[in-house]
Amino acid sequence: EKNQVVLVRRDDSTKEFVKFGDLDKKIKETLDDMHEKLYNKSKKFFEDCVVPVDNMEQFEKAIKDKKIALAKFCCSSECEDLIKDESGGATSRCILKESKGKCIHCDEEAKALVYFSKSYWYDRNNIYFIKCVDSFLGFFSGNFFYFSEKQNLR
């Protein structure tokens, strides 16, 4: 009757009346805007979660604080197993790039700069998950980590 539709955004719940003739253009604009806002929000959240570390004390603090530790690493499976045991479960998540220096754990020559974190944290009422989205946002060599919202699984 009015030759229009109601366009409701899922990201901010705003409603807008759009004429049928403008629908194609408006949907593209809206989706582009939603993508940009979600991208920027996720990128900021990720950057706020990453903590560069230079020693095991800083590493363990970052993991305890539910952050992602960015550390130089020798890429040895034996060293990763020791890191996992000593940190309460943190493992490598993504190799960012090649790196020189000393490994965060064993002081051998580092081969790469690596993101480490736990795959989840539990706190009586909620479980927090880390999800790795490969090539989702296309930055940091195509790998991106983000924390999901608080999820109550009970």
Side-chain angles (χ1 to χ4, degrees), residues 7 42 48 67-68 85-86 90 94 114 118 120 140 142 153:
L7 186 64
S42 294
D48 291 346
K67 300 290 185 180
I68 299 170
D85 291 343
E86 293 174 17
C94 175
V114 176
K118 289 186 175 184
Y120 68 90
F140 293 124
L153 299 181

Side-chain angles (χ1 to χ4, degrees), residues 93-121:
R93 299 286 158 194
C94 175
I95 296 174
L96 180 60
K97 62 182 179 181
E98 290 183 19
S99 182
K100 301 287 184 200
K102 298 292 181 185
C103 174
I104 191 77
H105 183 264
C106 68
D107 286 331
E108 294 293 323
E109 188 64 29
K111 294 181 180 174
L113 201 53
V114 176
Y115 292 114
F116 283 87
S117 69
K118 289 186 175 184
S119 58
Y120 68 90
W121 290 279

Side-chain angles (χ1 to χ4, degrees), residues 122-127 152 154:
Y122 175 75
D123 79 357
R124 291 191 183 248
N125 297 316
N126 300 287
I127 295 178
N152 191 336
R154 293 178 190 247

Side-chain angles (χ1 to χ4, degrees), residues 1 8 13 16 24 27 31 57 79 81 84 89 136 151:
E1 193 172 285
V8 181
S13 300
E16 185 175 351
D24 286 346
I27 288 175
L31 289 175
E57 184 178 320
C79 191
D81 289 341
K84 182 179 179 181
F136 177 65
Q151 296 181 21

Side-chain angles (χ1 to χ4, degrees), residues 41-152:
K41 180 181 176 183
S42 294
K43 183 178 179 183
K44 181 186 180 324
F45 191 79
F46 172 73
E47 290 169 347
D48 291 346
C49 289
V50 174
V51 177
V53 297
D54 296 318
N55 57 52
M56 279 304 289
E57 184 178 320
Q58 293 173 350
F59 181 93
E60 289 170 358
K61 180 178 181 344
I63 298 302
K64 182 181 176 194
D65 292 344
K66 301 176 181 161
K67 300 290 185 180
I68 299 170
L70 181 60
K72 293 178 181 176
F73 182 51
C74 67
C75 298
S76 147
S77 58
E78 294 84 12
C79 191
E80 184 171 9
D81 289 341
L82 291 170
I83 290 172
K84 182 179 179 181
D85 291 343
E86 293 174 17
S87 66
T91 56
S92 63
R93 299 286 158 194
C94 175
I95 296 174
L96 180 60
K97 62 182 179 181
E98 290 183 19
S99 182
K100 301 287 184 200
K102 298 292 181 185
C103 174
I104 191 77
H105 183 264
C106 68
D107 286 331
E108 294 293 323
E109 188 64 29
K111 294 181 180 174
L113 201 53
V114 176
Y115 292 114
F116 283 87
S117 69
K118 289 186 175 184
S119 58
Y120 68 90
W121 290 279
Y122 175 75
D123 79 357
R124 291 191 183 248
N125 297 316
N126 300 287
I127 295 178
Y128 301 85
F129 290 95
I130 293 177
K131 299 175 182 176
C132 177
V133 181
D134 189 24
S135 300
F136 177 65
L137 297 175
F139 69 101
F140 293 124
S141 302
N143 293 290
F144 181 76
F145 290 83
Y146 69 96
F147 289 86
S148 67
E149 293 290 327
K150 217 164 146 175
Q151 296 181 21
N152 191 336

Side-chain angles (χ1 to χ4, degrees), residues 3-25:
N3 290 325
Q4 65 184 14
V5 297
V6 178
L7 186 64
V8 181
R9 291 179 57 143
R10 295 186 76 188
D11 62 330
D12 64 10
S13 300
T14 58
K15 294 181 182 180
E16 185 175 351
F17 294 94
V18 181
K19 295 193 181 293
F20 283 132
D22 299 333
L23 194 55
D24 286 346
K25 180 181 174 190

